Amino acid sequence: MYKILIWGCGLQYGWYINAIRYHELKQSIKVVGITGKDEIYHCLDGYPFIPLKELNNYTFDYIVVTSEKYYENICEEAELLGFSREKIIQGKVFCLPSFHFEKYVQLIQSRVSIIANNCWGGTAYHALGMRFLSPFINMFLNDADYIRLLRNLKYYLGLKLRFVQEGYNPVLERTYPVCRLDDVELHFNHYINMQEVEEKWYGRIRRLNWENLFIMMFTENHRIMEDFDALPYQKKICFAPFKSPEKSAFYFQLIDHEEMQSYPFWEIVNKTASGYFHEYDLIELLNTGMVNHDRYYLEEK
């Protein structure tokens, strides 16, 4: 059983406390107390309030932060008090469907680095309240370039980015940097300038965990699917709007519904990571690399 400290007793504490207590009833966690800057309570919901200056007198495995707005500030303050950021969890994850604390701990301890050809990786990290351990955030590559990059990932990620031109993001209605790594083109469609691109790209490359890569791709091309499946990565998944015999292929059963025809495929892919559409267990997918339809499945006719 993991011992946790809840940090924050404001508005969002009320949003998450029932979900947290549910996992305490399941005996996967034990809440040792609550803390925060506003020392107006002696106890709350049966838990003792622990002043920040007394935290080092208590033993706990994880800090659960119940404030999204001040999450980064709390992380910085906790680090100043000697607590590792890797031991700090966002309270919102307790509200994830089919959430298992033990599996979540397994995931965050594994320090998984998601390599993706669009924003799916960043969306997944955000949904799970995890730090970005990959440079493939808020950007995209075309299919052919992505396959080429994956065939020699360490080589390409060892190169310096080279600016080649500006692209245009019609959603945000602004231009963005397009760069190259040798013969691979990267579109940083959520970035404003090269200074921002380089700061995020190189900083996140330094965090990359080569021992635990999860390789994600989406494609609407059968040949690309075959090329992806042949890549020598242990954990990989390729989302597609068609059925395929390849082991890494993930066919969206939702795609057949008429109401889904108004969505471009890339948007469906990203919205499953955020939880907007419900096909798979994201934590299970990242932990195992195995295709699952744990949240939505149809019986064969």
Side-chain angles (χ1 to χ4, degrees):
M1 183 183 299
Y2 294 93
K3 295 180 180 179
I4 71 166
L5 170 79
I6 298 175
W7 189 318
C9 46
L11 175 64
Q12 291 180 329
Y13 165 86
W15 297 357
Y16 305 136
I17 186 58
N18 282 349
I20 294 171
R21 296 188 80 168
Y22 168 76
H23 288 275
E24 188 172 32
L25 289 172
K26 288 181 63 179
Q27 298 186 339
S28 58
I29 62 171
K30 172 65 177 176
V31 178
V32 300
I34 300 172
T35 194
K37 280 190 172 181
D38 299 323
E39 299 181 6
I40 60 176
Y41 302 101
H42 292 293
C43 64
L44 185 60
D45 294 327
Y47 303 122
F49 186 90
I50 306 171
L52 292 173
K53 62 181 179 291
E54 297 180 14
L55 289 185
N56 287 318
N57 296 330
Y58 291 79
T59 301
F60 44 86
D61 301 300
Y62 290 95
I63 295 172
V64 175
V65 178
T66 56
S67 172
E68 292 184 36
K69 182 178 180 180
Y70 298 108
Y71 175 74
E72 286 299 326
N73 303 84
I74 290 172
C75 285
E76 291 172 5
E77 190 166 0
E79 288 181 305
L80 288 174
L81 292 172
F83 300 104
S84 168
R85 182 174 285 248
E86 293 180 352
K87 297 295 184 178
I88 304 173
I89 295 173
Q90 293 188 35
K92 68 176 185 178
V93 302
F94 284 86
C95 298
L96 292 171
S98 304
F99 180 75
H100 292 271
F101 190 76
E102 296 88 347
K103 291 183 178 180
Y104 183 71
V105 167
Q106 177 187 348
L107 180 62
I108 59 177
Q109 288 182 346
S110 74
R111 301 187 67 253
V112 62
S113 287
I114 302 171
I115 311 298
N117 66 331
N118 76 339
C119 296
W120 186 91
T123 302
Y125 276 129
H126 181 73
L128 295 168
M130 295 173 63
R131 195 178 188 193
F132 297 149
L133 300 179
S134 167
F136 294 87
I137 306 294
N138 293 329
M139 47 87 69
F140 73 90
L141 302 85
N142 68 42
D143 283 3
D145 280 358
Y146 189 53
I147 292 294
R148 189 157 50 249
L149 177 138
L150 291 177
R151 284 174 174 156
N152 203 352
L153 187 59
K154 284 196 173 181
Y155 163 72
Y156 284 106
L157 294 191
L159 301 175
K160 294 293 184 181
L161 289 170
R162 177 169 57 89
F163 174 81
V164 291
Q165 64 185 33
E166 287 189 334
Y168 182 73
N169 187 327
V171 177
L172 299 177
E173 298 183 336
R174 69 184 186 205
T175 59
Y176 63 83
V178 179
C179 300
R180 278 186 175 271
L181 295 172
D182 196 349
D183 56 350
V184 168
E185 193 167 88
L186 301 94
H187 292 254
F188 293 93
N189 57 319
H190 287 276
Y191 294 85
I192 299 173
N193 52 48
M194 278 301 296
Q195 180 180 351
E196 183 184 18
V197 166
E198 290 177 340
E199 177 185 348
K200 299 296 186 182
W201 178 261
Y202 296 123
R204 289 165 180 165
I205 281 181
R206 287 192 290 272
R207 296 183 209 152
L208 195 71
N209 181 12
W210 289 98
E211 301 303 314
N212 187 17
L213 299 180
F214 181 92
I215 313 296
M216 170 273 177
M217 185 177 191
F218 83 96
T219 187
E220 299 179 62
N221 184 298
H222 288 265
R223 178 59 185 273
I224 291 293
M225 167 71 79
E226 295 172 2
D227 291 342
F228 179 85
D229 195 68
L231 293 169
Y233 294 99
Q234 182 179 358
K235 296 199 298 186
K236 60 181 185 289
I237 198 85
C238 188
F239 298 114
F242 52 79
K243 294 182 179 180
S244 176
E246 278 70 34
K247 185 178 179 180
S248 61
F250 190 109
Y251 169 67
F252 281 103
Q253 298 175 100
L254 288 168
I255 208 79
D256 295 330
H257 291 264
E258 183 178 349
E259 63 192 271
M260 301 298 289
Q261 304 309 307
S262 61
Y263 292 94
F265 184 59
W266 66 264
E267 187 172 354
I268 295 173
V269 170
N270 287 352
K271 284 189 171 183
T272 55
S274 67
Y276 190 93
F277 297 130
H278 317 296
E279 277 262 0
Y280 49 80
D281 183 328
L282 181 59
I283 293 176
E284 185 73 12
L285 183 66
L286 292 175
N287 269 335
T288 67
M290 301 295 291
V291 172
N292 75 74
H293 289 276
D294 289 357
R295 299 197 59 208
Y296 176 68
Y297 50 88
L298 297 174
E299 293 181 2
E300 294 291 336
K301 295 182 179 180

